[in-house]
């Protein structure tokens, strides 16, 4: 993965004067729960260039985003934007990751096992440093007036209510740093009437966006800000949001009036290695303006064709003048993508292949409880030693609770089910599939290593929070989880099986919305011990 060309160009314009910076991440002690901090420090000035505190261990991508911030917008009030000659980290994996990413910036990456300055800094840090971006110009000054006029025209189009996020438009211009953009329209369906435009840099970026909508967003708790933010930051796009505001709340953002209502213009860029940036560089502002003008011309010329066909096959070319340079013109191609839309809707053979395995709805006894359990390390070891059937999987070295989905049924049925799973070669993975329709039903499935798909249970909005809470625990362990089979449905052990009553433990993983139909059957060894 590499930084966008526009970002590299922008960072290379920052003077390279700082000799060495150090950076990394640590876990901080907290009375309530575990807190993590990541930072870049300047040893010469004894200053904090950038810092972030959160509830999850910092990733290499997060450290890269903080490095970009450290270069352009240092936290220390006396620090000036600059680029280091060398950065030193205390993590080998981070060193290897950063080497390739920062090579175009002429920055050397070195490793040092112990960095005293970092150790001292993380020992004393106790509060989150907040960001102050109030002085950032969201648009280059020379583009503010032309954006107001053009976006006002753009906002008047009925394109916003006619096309949605599954009807992208492809824009291509050889003069752009990212020659191919995919425009996704965000319709004004929220209560506040906000709407906007997202321009994904390439087909892969667009497909990643669709994959997140299908596989991740349905399972992220709206209150889980950290996970939601990390998911959003995996996008690769430029965005332009328009939000209704009162004049006193407008701040520094430019605005336009639409149907008597004041809207703020909120531009920005998202990239996995740069993070979210609330402003455009001049070349980005130029590119987005040209893209908007091309979309306006395209819609005015073709909107009648959308009256007769949901997504007609169209491919038009426009000559768009630069808003700032009278002698400069751009040749922009705007096209619809009906084949890609058909693929997303499951009309292509590849899209349908995931659903070609029939779902066995009778594999799990009807008279059964589905329980979501967490086993601390010691209890997990005791469980592994106690069961008659054990499928070993990859379990993290350090964890507080191992998530186990437990099927509790009658004794004879439990023993028969554990035996059947062993005969199937164990569990390949668990998965969750949302069903279309107003009922908002989610299926919880298991794919065995014999490539059979079993329905474990279904969840509606009322029972769904139990599944969501368990999925959050599984996500903490990067998908690692287990499936257990137990008996003891009556008396004190109802919904609370003892270790003795758990017949089998099958260590596996959870993969969202995924069925592997191309994989040949791959039975795994099951340890069997008769108790």
């Amino acid at each position: 993965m590499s930084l966008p060309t526009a970002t590299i160009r922008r960072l290379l314009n920052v003077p390279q004067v700082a000799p060495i910076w150090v950076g990394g991440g640590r876990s901080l002690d907290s009375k309530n729960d575990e807190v993590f901090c990541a930072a870049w420090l300047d040893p010469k000035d004894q200053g904090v260039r950038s810092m972030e505190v959160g509830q999850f261990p910092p990733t290499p991508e997060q450290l890269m985003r903080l490095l970009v911030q450290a270069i352009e917008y240092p936290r220390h009030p006396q620090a000036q934007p600059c680029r280091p000659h060398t950065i030193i980290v205390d993590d080998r994996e981070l060193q290897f990751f950063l080497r390739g990413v920062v090579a175009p910036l002429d920055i050397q990456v070195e490793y040092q096992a112990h960095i005293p300055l970092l150790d001292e800094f993380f020992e004393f840090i106790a509060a989150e440093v907040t960001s102050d971006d109030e002085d950032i110009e969201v648009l280059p000054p020379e583009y503010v007036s032309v954006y107001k006029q053009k976006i006002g025209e753009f906002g008047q189009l009925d394109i916003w209510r006619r096309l949605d996020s599954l009807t992208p438009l492809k824009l291509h211009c050889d003069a752009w740093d990212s020659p191919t953009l995919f425009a996704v329209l965000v319709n004004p369906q929220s209560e506040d009437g906000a709407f906007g435009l997202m321009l994904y840099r390439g087909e892969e970026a667009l497909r990643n966006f669709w994959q997140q909508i299908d596989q991740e967003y349905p399972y992220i708790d709206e209150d889980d800000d950290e996970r939601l933010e990390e998911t959003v930051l995996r996008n690769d796009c430029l965005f332009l949001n328009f939000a209704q505001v009162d004049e006193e709340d407008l701040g520094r953002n430019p605005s336009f009036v639409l149907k008597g209502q004041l809207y703020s213009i909120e531009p920005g860029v998202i990239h996995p290695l740069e993070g979210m940036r609330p402003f455009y560089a001049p070349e980005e502002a130029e590119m987005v303006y040209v893209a908007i003008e091309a979309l306006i011309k395209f819609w005015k010329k073709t909107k009648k064709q959308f009256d007769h066909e949901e997504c007609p096959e169209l491919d038009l070319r426009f000559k768009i003048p630069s808003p700032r340079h009278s002698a400069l013109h751009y040749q922009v191609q705007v096209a619809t993508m009906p084949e890609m839309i058909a693929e997303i809707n499951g009309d292509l053979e590849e899209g349908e292949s995931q659903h070609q395995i029939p779902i066995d709805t009778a594999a799990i006894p009807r008279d059964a409880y589905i329980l979501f359990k967490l086993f601390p390390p010691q209890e997990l070891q005791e469980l592994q030693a106690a069961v008659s059937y054990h499928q070993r999987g990859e379990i993290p070295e350090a964890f507080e609770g191992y998530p186990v989905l437990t099927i509790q049924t009658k004794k004879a049925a439990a023993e028969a089910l554990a035996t059947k799973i062993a005969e199937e070669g164990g569990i390949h993975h668990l998965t969750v599939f949302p069903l279309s329709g107003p009922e908002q039903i989610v299926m919880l499935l298991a794919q065995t290593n014999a490539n059979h798909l079993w329905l474990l249970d279904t969840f509606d909005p009322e029972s769904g929070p139990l599944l969501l809470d368990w999925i959050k625990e599984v996500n903490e362990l990067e998908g690692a989880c287990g499936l257990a089979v137990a008996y003891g449905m009556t008396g004190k052990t109802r919904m609370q099986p003892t270790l003795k009553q758990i017949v089998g433990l099958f260590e596996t993983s959870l993969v969202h919305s995924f069925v592997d139909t191309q994989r040949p059957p791959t039975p795994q060894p099951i340890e069997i011990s008769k108790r």
Side-chain angles (χ1 to χ4, degrees):
M1 186 176 292
S2 59
L3 287 166
T5 304
T7 300
I8 293 173
R9 187 185 301 117
R10 192 179 71 251
L11 295 178
L12 286 175
N13 286 330
V14 177
Q16 191 172 31
V17 296
I20 295 175
W21 290 349
V22 297
R26 292 286 193 284
S27 170
L28 305 177
D29 292 329
S30 172
K31 294 180 180 179
N32 298 319
D33 49 19
E34 198 167 17
V35 177
F36 296 88
C37 180
W40 287 99
L41 311 178
D42 185 341
K44 181 180 179 182
D45 295 336
Q46 294 289 300
V48 181
R49 299 290 302 191
S50 65
M51 187 180 95
E52 194 170 276
V53 176
Q55 297 179 340
F56 298 91
T59 62
E61 291 84 358
Q62 184 180 0
L63 266 298
M64 184 61 218
R65 294 195 288 265
L66 283 175
L67 179 60
V68 173
Q69 295 175 21
I71 293 172
E72 292 191 298
Y73 297 102
R75 303 292 193 193
H76 196 280
Q78 275 76 49
Q80 297 297 316
C82 61
R83 188 161 37 98
H85 286 281
T86 303
I87 54 178
I88 301 177
V89 298
D90 57 0
D91 183 279
R92 284 287 190 190
E93 181 181 352
L94 179 61
Q95 180 197 20
F96 295 145
F97 176 84
L98 291 176
R99 269 182 177 172
V101 178
V102 303
L105 302 176
D106 297 328
I107 299 176
Q108 300 296 315
V109 186
E110 297 181 0
Y111 168 79
Q112 186 174 314
H114 300 288
I115 305 176
L117 179 62
L118 268 183
D119 294 337
E120 293 173 9
F121 172 77
F122 288 123
E123 283 179 9
F124 289 101
I125 198 67
E128 182 175 357
V129 175
T130 57
S131 174
D132 184 7
D133 294 328
E134 293 182 359
D135 294 332
I136 298 176
E137 295 284 355
V138 299
L139 284 173
E142 64 271 23
Y143 285 90
V144 172
S145 61
V146 295
Y147 260 70
K148 286 183 177 182
Q149 183 273 328
K150 190 55 61 179
I151 289 175
E153 181 182 355
F154 193 34
Q156 296 283 355
L157 301 179
D158 59 351
I159 188 174
W160 301 100
R161 298 192 180 275
R162 301 284 295 281
L163 304 183
D164 58 25
S165 61
L166 293 181
T167 312
L169 296 173
K170 178 181 177 180
L171 296 93
H172 183 86
C173 178
D174 290 330
W176 292 340
D177 286 337
S178 301
T180 301
L181 301 176
F182 286 86
V184 172
L185 296 157
V186 182
N187 296 327
Q189 298 174 339
S190 58
E191 293 182 2
D192 59 7
F195 61 109
L197 172 69
M198 305 180 81
L199 295 169
Y200 282 87
R201 292 181 279 208
E203 184 175 330
E204 182 180 356
L206 177 66
R207 289 183 179 276
N208 288 340
F209 163 71
W210 273 325
Q211 186 179 36
Q212 287 181 27
I213 288 179
D214 178 47
Q215 298 186 6
E216 298 187 36
Y217 286 133
Y219 310 105
I220 298 178
D221 191 331
E222 291 182 358
D223 297 327
D224 192 348
D225 294 336
E226 290 273 359
R227 180 158 163 74
L228 181 61
E229 178 184 4
E230 190 60 34
T231 302
V232 169
L233 289 176
R234 292 207 298 274
N235 282 292
D236 182 8
C237 68
L238 299 96
F239 65 85
L240 200 57
N241 292 336
F242 314 122
Q244 292 185 16
V245 292
D246 296 323
E247 193 164 351
E248 57 268 23
D249 298 328
L250 188 59
R252 299 178 64 87
N253 286 72
S255 64
F256 66 100
V257 177
L258 178 62
K259 298 180 180 179
Q261 174 64 50
L262 185 66
Y263 283 80
S264 67
I265 300 173
E266 302 172 358
V269 179
I270 306 175
H271 188 274
L273 299 183
E274 187 182 359
M276 185 179 295
R277 167 163 50 88
F279 65 91
Y280 287 160
E283 61 268 37
E284 292 168 335
E286 176 92 358
M287 180 173 66
V288 174
Y289 177 93
V290 171
I292 290 173
E293 176 69 0
L295 289 172
I296 292 173
K297 289 182 177 293
F298 173 83
W299 187 249
K300 288 182 176 180
K301 196 173 183 65
T302 65
K303 63 179 181 178
K304 290 184 178 180
Q305 293 175 256
F306 284 86
D307 291 334
H308 306 290
E309 193 175 348
E310 185 174 348
C311 186
E313 189 169 351
L314 301 169
D315 190 340
L316 287 77
R317 286 166 173 76
F318 302 97
K319 186 177 182 180
I320 309 295
S322 165
R324 296 291 304 159
H325 312 286
S326 58
L328 179 60
H329 289 76
Y330 297 90
Q331 298 293 333
V332 182
Q333 174 194 14
V334 184
T336 56
M337 306 296 294
E339 289 187 3
M340 183 182 292
I341 294 172
E343 182 177 348
I344 296 303
N345 289 334
D347 291 336
L348 296 184
E349 182 178 348
E350 181 180 352
E352 292 179 338
S353 63
Q354 287 189 342
H355 305 286
Q356 290 175 353
I357 296 182
I359 297 176
D360 186 347
T361 59
I364 307 302
R366 290 189 177 185
D367 189 9
Y369 296 119
I370 299 295
L371 312 173
F372 299 107
K373 302 289 187 180
L374 288 177
F375 285 81
Q378 183 60 38
E379 287 188 26
L380 179 62
Q381 291 182 9
E382 295 173 359
L383 174 61
Q384 291 170 329
V387 294
S388 298
Y389 297 90
H390 183 205
Q391 172 187 335
R392 293 192 177 274
E394 295 184 6
I395 297 179
E397 294 183 1
F399 62 92
E400 294 183 2
Y402 180 68
V404 177
L405 186 152
T406 303
I407 302 169
Q408 188 182 31
T409 184
K410 296 178 181 178
K411 186 173 183 180
E415 292 176 345
L417 178 58
T419 301
K420 185 176 182 180
I421 295 175
E423 291 173 349
E424 295 271 327
I427 302 296
H428 183 263
H429 71 276
L430 307 181
T431 189
V432 280
F433 268 104
L435 297 179
S436 60
E439 297 85 2
Q440 298 181 353
I441 302 297
V442 174
M443 295 190 300
L444 177 60
L445 307 169
Q447 184 172 350
T448 71
N449 277 311
N451 273 5
H452 293 147
L453 197 61
W454 294 356
L455 175 65
L456 303 181
D457 205 349
T458 58
F459 297 83
D460 57 21
E462 185 176 346
S463 59
L466 293 172
L467 176 62
L468 285 173
D469 289 343
W470 189 74
I471 289 175
K472 287 174 65 175
E473 299 290 348
V474 176
N475 289 336
E476 290 286 332
L477 299 187
E478 298 183 349
C481 62
L483 184 146
V485 180
Y487 60 89
M489 292 185 65
T490 60
K492 293 182 180 180
T493 61
R494 176 178 175 269
M495 303 184 74
Q496 294 290 335
T498 64
L499 291 183
K500 183 179 179 181
Q501 292 171 321
I502 299 178
V503 180
L505 172 64
F506 304 90
E507 296 162 9
T508 180
S509 63
L510 176 72
V511 186
H512 295 293
S513 299
F514 176 69
V515 175
D516 189 354
T517 62
Q518 307 302 318
R519 176 185 58 86
T522 54
Q524 300 299 308
I526 307 295
E527 299 174 12
I528 302 176
S529 58
K530 298 299 180 182
R531 295 183 295 186

